[in-house]
Amino acid sequence: MKYLVVTSRAPVSHEIVSGRESLKKNVGGVVTALRRLMMQEGGTWVSWGDGNADNRYLEEEYEGYHISRIMLEQREKKGFYDDYSNGTLWPLFHYFRDQMKLSPNGYKKYEDVNRKFAEKIMEHLTKDTIIWVHDYQLMLVPGMLREKGVRNLIIFTWHIPWVASEFYSILPEAKILLSSVTKADMITFHTHLYERNFHESAKMLFGSDEGLKDKTFVFSLGIDVKYYSSNNFAGLPSKALKGRKLIFSVDRLDYTKGLISRVMAIETLIKKFPKSREKFIYVMVVTPSRTSVTQYEELKRELEMTIGRVNGLYSDLSWQPIVYIYRKVSDTLLMSYYRKADIALITPLIDGLNLVSKEFVAASQNGILILSEFAGAAFNLKDAILVNPNDPDEVAQKIHEAMFMEPNEITRRLWALKRTIQKYDLEWWLNSIKNEAIRIHEHGGRDFRSKESAHNSPE
Ligand code: ADQ
């Protein structure tokens, strides 16, 4: 049995920069997880070649598996990726009604590109292939494959929140997209809440979720704990901190990540607890993301103005509260920050899961995780300090408590969190999905005994 993995972005891209060709690794959490599977099992990975030299590598052998790329024209990229995936679906599935642009033309391109994916998949299909499709950019793929008569087992993994049915149903294409996803044999979510919302959407739009009862699973993506807890990473030069607490965060630049609210919480901390002044430095790493989507440019401006305003109010020669880094940092530097940080401040307004929180827990030796209760990861990471990211007073209060927390309590919480992420790590996630898939493939049905052990998130 071979896996055929389908994602919007490829594991690697080929780029020409200043006349020289180079290979760029995609480091997102989804790609890292799937690379592990592909390196272990081989198979084919179908994705969009977005590198400017990818047209030279439409078919490529890479680290033990095959990459097959589809190429998009500028107009297709704009409609499929910028307008519909990131301009309509992303805000819809994160409850951002005011950011959501309805785009009939974008949808048309989304449909065309999903068809290209389906056709490419057909080229690589054999009788025993298990097709594993990922995320909101490719919702039409399962339905299109069934229309082409494909009977192979299809897994669909959803990486972002699934919203409440009444919210989902505002999308003009709600029925078509949902109907296509339900054509998969196995649909996996990060939390029970998203799974429930998915069923409710089916009940609301189709009158019933009968056929879906045995198809949906909750497997919350884990990380490679061994990698993140390894000692092979250099520490940060502690001198720069001058004994101050290091508060740290790393996020893509996205309105869902609560970046501006977080800066306001830091401002509230300084105002409400004047003694905390000069006792911390907040290092905020923000990675450029979706730079061709207008809302993201505006967000960048607003974020930088807010950081500038807060730093302008409180900095002096010896102290600046916020160190803002806007670029992709190296893996080693990221690890050093995870290791050294006293507090990780991860406060998305909403997040499908949030891998950064798990990476920090794995790497840290004595740090405290402050985590938004609206991140999917919060369902499992109960020993973090959970906060409502919309309430700057509450977040400031919790940061203050964390700055003065008893060492015993810090250790107790951190090791409880480490136990959880160790138990539900990347290997667990891959094996759980693979085992269910094989069972369905071999017996044409689901093993109900496995359902309890598979569902890790307590209600
Ligand atoms: P994302 O929204 O991209 O993922 P997240 O889960 O936090 O968010 O993953 C980001 C990954 O990129 C992490 O592995 C992090 O280490 C890495 N990263 C971010 N900034 C970086 C930087 N500057 N330098 C180096 N590495 C950086 C989507 C959903 C999430 C869901 C994941 C997986 O939005 O909710 O958790 O998919 O399902």
Side-chain angles (χ1 to χ4, degrees):
M1 221 160 33
K2 282 272 178 249
Y3 284 89
L4 194 158
V5 161
V6 194
T7 58
S8 168
R9 300 311 265 277
V12 281
S13 316
H14 298 271
E15 296 280 353
I16 300 179
V17 185
S18 322
R20 294 184 92 192
E21 200 180 294
S22 63
L23 195 69
K24 196 184 87 197
K25 267 193 194 164
N26 185 340
V27 294
V30 181
V31 163
T32 310
L34 296 171
R35 276 184 61 210
R36 168 74 74 90
L37 171 82
M38 296 306 268
M39 285 158 77
Q40 279 171 5
E41 311 247 344
T44 301
W45 193 324
V46 172
S47 51
W48 160 35
D50 62 339
N52 62 9
D54 274 343
N55 53 358
R56 300 178 186 176
Y57 300 90
L58 294 181
E59 304 291 330
E60 179 182 24
E61 298 306 319
Y62 181 71
E63 54 183 20
Y65 54 91
H66 183 84
I67 300 178
S68 179
R69 295 187 170 87
I70 61 157
M71 300 306 294
L72 302 183
E73 288 169 12
Q74 197 46 41
R75 278 180 312 144
E76 286 176 318
K77 188 235 161 202
K78 184 177 178 301
F80 157 71
Y81 186 71
D82 296 345
D83 294 347
Y84 199 73
S85 296
N86 292 326
T88 305
L89 295 181
W90 177 266
L92 171 83
F93 282 111
H94 292 85
Y95 292 103
F96 277 82
R97 177 67 187 88
D98 53 340
Q99 300 276 2
M100 188 180 154
K101 296 209 171 74
L102 294 177
S103 165
N105 184 51
Y107 178 69
K108 177 81 194 42
K109 290 283 175 285
Y110 180 88
E111 209 180 3
D112 293 347
V113 171
N114 273 244
R115 188 163 296 109
K116 276 193 167 182
F117 270 95
E119 280 160 8
K120 187 55 91 185
I121 293 166
M122 298 296 289
E123 287 175 26
H124 293 278
L125 221 49
T126 61
K127 194 166 160 284
D128 276 346
T129 308
I130 291 183
I131 306 166
W132 192 355
V133 184
H134 291 262
D135 230 3
Y136 65 102
Q137 302 93 346
L138 302 171
M139 294 175 82
L140 289 173
V141 169
M144 287 175 171
L145 291 173
R146 294 297 184 224
E147 272 168 27
K148 289 175 186 295
V150 171
R151 298 180 53 134
N152 296 54
L153 189 127
I154 302 177
I155 312 171
F156 193 94
T157 289
W158 191 254
H159 290 272
I160 61 177
W162 192 286
V163 285
S165 53
E166 61 274 28
F167 199 82
Y168 176 65
S169 63
I170 64 179
L171 182 72
E173 299 81 21
K175 273 189 176 172
I176 308 176
L177 294 176
L178 179 59
S179 162
S180 168
V181 173
T182 62
K183 301 291 189 305
D185 300 287
M186 231 183 115
I187 306 161
T188 82
F189 297 93
H190 287 321
T191 73
H192 292 283
L193 174 65
Y194 309 155
E195 184 192 40
R196 262 200 308 272
N197 286 343
F198 181 79
H199 281 268
E200 290 304 319
S201 301
K203 282 190 211 159
M204 187 166 172
L205 293 170
F206 303 129
S208 160
D209 66 338
E210 234 359 86
L212 290 175
K213 290 244 162 72
D214 300 337
K215 280 191 178 181
T216 60
F217 297 80
V218 178
F219 295 121
S220 177
L221 177 56
I223 60 160
D224 181 350
V225 175
K226 226 189 239 150
Y227 172 81
Y228 285 98
S229 47
S230 116
N231 274 322
N232 298 337
F233 296 95
L236 284 178
S238 318
K239 262 208 270 166
L241 289 171
K242 297 185 184 147
R244 294 170 177 134
K245 298 277 182 195
L246 173 62
I247 304 175
F248 177 68
S249 68
V250 54
D251 309 80
R252 280 187 307 100
L253 180 76
D254 199 295
Y255 48 83
T256 60
K257 301 288 181 184
L259 301 169
I260 293 175
S261 313
R262 205 180 300 161
V263 173
M264 312 264 256
I266 292 289
E267 180 177 22
T268 309
L269 171 72
I270 302 170
K271 276 193 192 151
K272 227 175 137 176
F273 303 100
K275 286 195 182 142
S276 70
R277 244 176 120 139
E278 305 204 18
K279 294 214 168 58
F280 73 89
I281 292 181
Y282 172 35
V283 174
M284 180 181 219
V285 178
V286 177
T287 318
S289 175
R290 303 175 191 172
T291 43
S292 51
V293 181
T294 339
Q295 293 109 303
Y296 288 74
E297 279 170 34
E298 283 161 20
L299 173 66
K300 179 169 184 278
R301 249 195 314 277
E302 200 185 332
L303 173 66
E304 291 178 355
M305 269 166 47
T306 313
I307 294 171
R309 187 180 58 73
V310 173
N311 272 343
L313 271 175
Y314 299 106
S315 299
D316 57 30
L317 259 185
S318 60
W319 183 62
Q320 176 182 312
I322 305 171
V323 173
Y324 169 62
I325 300 175
Y326 178 68
R327 57 180 179 268
K328 199 174 164 316
V329 298
S330 69
D331 290 2
T332 35
L333 185 58
L334 184 58
M335 285 295 291
S336 312
Y337 276 118
Y338 283 157
R339 286 242 144 167
K340 185 73 195 156
D342 297 288
I343 299 169
L345 187 58
I346 315 293
T347 53
L349 300 178
I350 178 165
D351 211 337
L353 183 70
N354 192 287
L355 290 167
V356 168
S357 53
K358 296 190 176 187
E359 292 165 5
F360 168 73
V361 167
S364 177
Q365 291 306 303
N366 55 4
I368 303 168
L369 173 63
I370 300 183
L371 179 62
S372 160
E373 60 192 90
F374 306 122
F379 283 87
N380 283 143
L381 303 181
K382 297 285 185 213
D383 289 283
I385 300 185
L386 297 181
V387 291
N388 179 345
N390 301 294
D391 183 348
D393 284 313
E394 184 191 334
V395 178
Q397 172 76 38
K398 296 294 180 188
I399 300 173
H400 189 254
E401 280 172 25
M403 283 173 70
F404 298 99
M405 190 177 267
E406 286 293 324
N408 284 348
E409 179 63 1
I410 297 175
T411 311
R412 185 196 68 74
R413 284 174 180 266
L414 182 62
W415 289 90
L417 290 168
K418 279 183 187 287
R419 278 193 295 277
T420 304
I421 59 157
Q422 181 76 59
K423 190 166 174 196
Y424 301 113
D425 68 354
L426 176 56
E427 211 55 40
W428 167 85
W429 183 77
L430 282 172
N431 286 337
S432 307
I433 294 181
K434 269 162 54 180
N435 290 343
E436 276 312 327
I438 290 166
R439 238 190 301 275
I440 295 171
H441 184 73
E442 287 175 355
H443 306 295
R446 166 179 186 160
D447 181 343
F448 287 90
R449 281 166 309 157
S450 70
K451 179 156 183 171
E452 289 312 308
S453 56
H455 283 54
N456 68 71
S457 317
E459 289 284 337

